[in-house]
């Protein structure tokens, strides 16, 4: 095995095989006790991240924002929300992360601004048709008084996708602005030259400060179909619009339009001017792996999230098809795939994968078992992997937040029937037996933490054999040290039933076999796949001998392992 030394910071290909840890800054670490995580808090936890063994962190937005959508409503792309820190803090963060060999990806939100952005304020203060109006998607309404929205598009957060522009005294005008998300998130007009210039200079602003790249929010949404035609919504959807990642709406005229690729060609040229080149990862909810790979053509984004794998759930054939299609389509454009199981928009994978018992409740113990197994197996796939803060502790989704605590705009816009994204954003536990479980110096946290956090804190798990944290740390260290993992070929090995088996082989011939047993029984694996267990997600994996001589590996139910011969 080669050394576990961190890859050099000069390695321009780091993103092809990196493990990237997503920090949702409001919920990661609070330095000042106001109940909201902040950048100084994150800086104090960099050693933790280095110890866990991640290559990079992606930080959800920390710009100045009214926080109507957790910071994805940006009022100023070049200043820091004062509750989260200062520009000077970000400079320290970049320097200190780099000292530890950790790269920094920020989050850019180019589909919409906050309605508190200076551009939108300018629009409200100027006459229809003035240049300020052209920076947003604004149209006249229909009907005698133009009181009907320009088309039937709905908001991802429920309700209609248009709001009427009002004069300073509140009188409605005949003009409407588009907001595919919340009413406080007007969509910008990517046919306007100011928009192009502004975002390019924002990219440069941050690249010049030393960040390594950006995750691009709603990367597939920036361009809208010419003429803004009505969308034929699937019949079973009414006002409760399916979320943007629902396959039924993936063909909507506001998603995945061909023109979006021109923007990324422009951005790629800017990123390539830097040394080392800066990188992009797109948030792209698209219908299939072929459409996804288009974003990774050589002059566009480096990587994009591959949500088909996340959506495959705990299902052997869905996982396998997602893996095959993703790898094949990415290979055509020479790009590495990415894999992700949890993020700040979806139910944590421990809960998502938990089977529902006869009592109608999710079995979270099995959920944890499956989540751990899925993680171990996924970390053996070729390409890069994104982890979401707290999954290394095995945190479940918090499903019983009181309505008054909820902040997800979709919760409010749907009348409490949707908008469950707060449950994965609860501040994470570091130590102690009572709130805020070491998240901050006091007991405050912007979303209430459940009592179960006491048993799932970093303090409880770090250094404890068999803990989820130790499993992650061990797998990450092995992955970094093992030349067969990261980028490179993948070969399927056959096994009956719901058991996925892959072999990864390095150019020097060393290989690792990764097995995921999705069944609820022990499975028998031939010894020639390897009898050395490098890492496993559970302790029921054993080498057994048989009477006639020889041996096999017995791998427990819902367990994954990496083996070497
Ligand atoms: C992305 C973000 C999500 C946000 C939305 C609107 O999907 O991940 O959190 O609400 O875009 O910006």
């Amino acid at each position: 095995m080669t050394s576990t030394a961190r890859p050099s910071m000069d390695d321009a290909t780091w993103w092809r095989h990196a493990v990237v840890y997503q920090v949702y800054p409001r919920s990661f670490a609070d330095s000042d006790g106001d109940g909201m995580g902040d950048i100084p808090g994150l800086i104090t936890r960099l050693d933790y991240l280095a110890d866990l063994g991640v290559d990079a962190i992606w930080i959800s937005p920390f710009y100045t924002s009214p926080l109507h959508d957790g910071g994805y409503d940006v009022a100023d792309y070049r200043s820091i929300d004062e509750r989260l820190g200062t520009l000077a803090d970000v400079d320290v963060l970049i320097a200190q992360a780099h000292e530890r060999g950790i790269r920094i990806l920020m989050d850019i939100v180019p589909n919409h601004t906050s309605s508190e952005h200076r551009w939108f304020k300018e629009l409200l203060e100027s006459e229809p048709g003035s240049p300020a109006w052209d920076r947003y998607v604004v149209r006249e309404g229909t009907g005698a008084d133009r009181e009907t929205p320009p088309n039937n598009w709905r908001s991802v957060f429920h309700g209609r996708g248009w709001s009427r522009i009002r004069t300073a005294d509140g009188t409605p005008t005949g003009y409407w602005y588009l907001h595919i998300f919340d009413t406080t998130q007007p969509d910008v007009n990517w046919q306007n030259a100011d928009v192009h210039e502004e975002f390019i200079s924002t990219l440069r602003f941050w690249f010049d400060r030393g960040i390594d790249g950006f995750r691009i929010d709603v990367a597939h949404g920036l361009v809208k179909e010419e003429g803004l035609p009505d969308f034929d919504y699937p019949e079973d959807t009414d006002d409760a619009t399916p979320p943007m990642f629902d396959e039924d709406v993936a063909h909507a005229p506001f998603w995945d339009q061909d023109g979006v690729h021109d923007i990324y060609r422009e951005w790629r040229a800017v990123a390539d001017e830097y040394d080392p080149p800066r990188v992009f990862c797109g948030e792209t909810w698209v219908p299939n792996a072929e459409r996804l790979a288009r974003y990774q053509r050589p002059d566009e984004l480096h990587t994009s999230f591959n949500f088909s794998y996340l959506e495959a759930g705990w299902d052997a054939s869905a996982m396998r098809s997602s893996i095959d299609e993703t790898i094949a389509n990415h290979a055509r454009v020479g790009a590495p795939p990415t894999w992700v199981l949890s993020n700040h928009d979806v139910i944590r994978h421990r809960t998502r994968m938990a089977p529902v018992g006869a009592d109608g409740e999710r079995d979270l113990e099995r959920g944890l078992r499956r989540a751990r197994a899925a993680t171990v197996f996924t970390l053996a796939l070729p390409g890069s992997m994104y982890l979401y803060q707290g999954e290394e502790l095995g945190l479940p989704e918090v499903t019983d937040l009181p309505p008054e605590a909820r902040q997800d705009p979709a919760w409010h816009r749907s009348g409490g029937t949707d908008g469950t994204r707060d449950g994965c954003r609860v501040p994470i536990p570091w130590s102690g037996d009572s709130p805020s479980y070491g998240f901050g110096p006091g007991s405050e946290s912007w979303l209430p933490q459940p009592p179960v956090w006491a048993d799932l804190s970093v303090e409880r798990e770090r250094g404890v054999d068999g803990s989820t944290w130790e499993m992650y740390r061990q797998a990450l260290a092995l992955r970094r040290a093992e030349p067969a993992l990261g980028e490179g070929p993948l070969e399927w090995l056959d096994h009956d039933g719901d058991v996925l088996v892959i072999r990864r082989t390095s150019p020097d011939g060393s290989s690792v076999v990764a097995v995921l047993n999705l069944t609820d029984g022990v499975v028998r694996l031939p010894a020639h796949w390897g009898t050395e267990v490098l890492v496993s997600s559970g302790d029921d994996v054993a080498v057994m001998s048989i009477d006639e001589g020889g041996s096999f590996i017995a791998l427990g139910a819902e367990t994954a392992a990496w083996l070497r011969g």
Side-chain angles (χ1 to χ4, degrees):
M1 209 177 265
T2 53
S3 99
T4 56
R6 287 182 176 279
S8 143
M9 287 298 279
D10 298 328
D11 172 12
T13 65
W14 66 274
W15 50 275
R16 299 188 75 91
H17 46 77
V19 174
V20 184
Y21 181 99
Q22 180 189 356
V23 172
Y24 192 74
R26 301 167 74 195
S27 306
F28 188 65
D30 172 19
S31 70
D32 55 13
D34 65 354
M36 196 175 282
D38 45 40
I39 299 162
L42 166 56
I43 294 170
T44 64
R45 302 296 185 182
L46 285 172
D47 282 334
Y48 168 83
L49 295 170
D51 187 22
L52 182 61
V54 304
D55 301 305
I57 52 179
W58 148 38
I59 313 167
S60 285
F62 46 55
Y63 312 103
T64 302
S65 162
L67 296 184
H68 291 306
D69 183 22
Y72 284 93
D73 46 328
V74 182
D76 178 357
Y77 292 81
R78 302 187 202 176
S79 73
I80 308 302
D81 195 284
E82 58 187 22
R83 288 159 286 192
L84 272 65
T86 62
L87 264 182
D89 292 333
V90 176
D91 289 339
V92 173
L93 171 70
I94 297 168
Q96 295 212 5
H98 284 175
E99 263 170 40
R100 290 164 177 78
I102 297 177
R103 290 181 167 82
I104 304 266
L105 301 180
M106 279 174 55
D107 203 322
I108 191 151
V109 187
N111 181 67
H112 44 265
T113 67
S114 157
S115 50
E116 292 189 18
H117 190 278
R118 67 184 155 80
W119 274 359
F120 200 69
K121 290 185 182 161
E122 234 180 89
L123 177 152
L124 294 179
E125 285 158 11
S126 53
E127 292 303 313
S130 56
W133 281 51
D134 192 51
R135 297 188 192 123
Y136 290 92
V137 182
V138 176
R139 293 291 184 276
E140 280 189 78
T142 56
D145 286 330
R146 296 174 296 169
E147 74 290 359
T148 310
N151 69 21
N152 74 342
W153 295 359
R154 300 176 194 155
S155 156
V156 168
F157 294 157
H158 300 268
R160 60 187 175 198
W162 296 88
S163 288
R164 225 163 157 172
I165 297 179
R166 290 171 185 272
T167 58
D169 65 6
T171 316
T173 70
Y175 294 90
W176 297 69
Y177 67 92
L178 176 68
H179 52 85
I180 291 293
F181 294 89
D182 188 47
T183 51
T184 61
Q185 294 169 298
D187 281 52
V188 298
N189 172 21
W190 274 92
Q191 288 176 345
N192 176 288
D194 287 359
V195 170
H196 285 253
E197 271 168 38
E198 179 68 12
F199 276 95
I200 284 191
S201 71
T202 297
L203 295 179
R204 287 191 199 284
F205 176 85
W206 291 108
F207 288 160
D208 290 343
R209 292 193 104 85
I211 66 151
D212 301 279
F214 277 106
R215 175 259 190 193
I216 304 169
D217 189 62
V218 201
H220 60 306
L222 279 45
V223 172
K224 279 65 180 177
E225 190 176 324
E226 200 55 48
L228 312 187
D230 274 356
F231 178 48
D232 195 7
Y233 283 93
E235 264 175 27
D236 56 345
T237 60
D238 46 23
D239 174 56
T241 317
M244 69 172 153
F245 40 84
D246 190 302
E247 213 169 294
D248 293 338
V249 293
H251 302 283
F254 41 85
W255 297 143
D256 195 30
Q257 299 295 306
D258 288 345
V260 81
H261 296 280
D262 298 334
I263 299 170
Y264 300 131
R265 292 196 184 97
E266 218 172 78
W267 287 21
R268 177 63 179 258
V270 175
D272 282 348
E273 285 170 21
Y274 286 81
D275 182 22
R278 308 308 198 235
V279 303
F280 295 113
C281 177
E283 184 206 18
T284 38
W285 295 93
V286 291
N288 56 51
E290 189 271 319
R291 294 297 298 184
L292 180 68
R294 291 158 57 90
Y295 289 79
Q296 278 79 248
R297 288 176 288 198
D299 57 348
E300 298 191 40
L301 307 181
H302 301 74
T303 56
S304 277
F305 290 109
N306 163 28
F307 293 119
S308 73
Y309 186 70
L310 181 151
E311 288 169 332
W314 181 257
D315 177 318
S317 72
M319 287 170 93
R320 183 166 175 162
S321 346
S322 165
I323 293 168
D324 280 341
E325 283 167 21
T326 303
I327 292 177
N329 282 295
H330 279 67
R332 274 185 215 132
V333 290
T338 65
W339 312 98
V340 58
L341 292 167
S342 281
N343 68 30
H344 68 294
D345 289 330
V346 299
I347 294 175
R348 284 186 177 277
H349 67 285
R350 170 173 179 184
T351 302
R352 226 178 44 234
M353 290 179 172
V356 178
D359 56 0
E361 295 292 315
R362 285 190 187 273
D363 180 343
L364 287 176
E365 280 323 303
R366 276 181 72 194
L368 179 59
R369 204 177 161 82
R370 290 178 172 189
R372 287 170 55 128
T375 299
V376 165
F377 181 73
T378 307
L379 279 166
L381 294 174
S384 73
M385 167 102 182
Y386 281 75
L387 309 176
Y388 177 53
Q389 66 181 34
E391 67 170 81
E392 75 277 23
L393 302 169
L395 297 188
E397 183 81 2
V398 180
T399 50
D400 56 357
L401 285 170
E404 63 280 9
R406 293 198 177 259
Q407 314 233 352
D408 185 345
W411 172 268
H412 300 287
R413 285 177 63 87
S414 67
T417 56
D418 184 23
T420 49
R421 298 180 306 163
D422 293 313
C424 61
R425 298 175 181 178
V426 173
I428 65 169
W430 293 89
S431 58
D433 291 317
S434 60
S436 65
Y437 302 102
F439 165 62
S443 59
E444 296 296 310
S445 67
W446 68 279
L447 284 172
Q449 300 162 301
V452 67
W453 261 209
D455 293 327
L456 294 168
S457 70
V458 173
E459 183 184 45
R460 286 288 168 85
E461 296 200 27
R462 205 165 169 187
V464 174
D465 244 14
S467 71
T468 303
W469 197 89
E470 285 300 331
M471 181 198 87
Y472 270 76
R473 193 195 53 74
Q474 192 192 353
L476 263 46
L478 274 161
R479 180 185 152 106
R480 174 172 289 167
E482 175 52 61
L485 299 178
E487 248 203 311
L490 169 152
E491 176 197 354
W492 288 104
L493 303 179
D494 287 330
H495 196 283
D496 292 340
D498 285 344
V499 181
L500 296 179
V501 190
I502 56 171
R503 180 186 282 132
R504 307 289 321 280
T505 306
S506 74
D508 70 10
S510 68
S511 69
V512 172
V513 170
V515 190
L516 174 62
N517 174 11
L518 290 103
T519 73
D520 54 11
V522 177
V523 292
R524 214 173 143 140
L525 312 174
H528 66 263
W529 285 352
T531 47
E532 183 194 352
V533 179
L534 299 175
V535 65
S536 76
S537 65
D539 51 15
D540 44 0
V541 40
V543 184
M544 319 282 282
S545 0
I546 34 187
D547 292 346
E548 316 83 78
S551 55
F552 65 91
I553 296 257
L555 182 68
E558 301 181 334
T559 303
W562 296 353
L563 308 172
R564 197 201 299 281

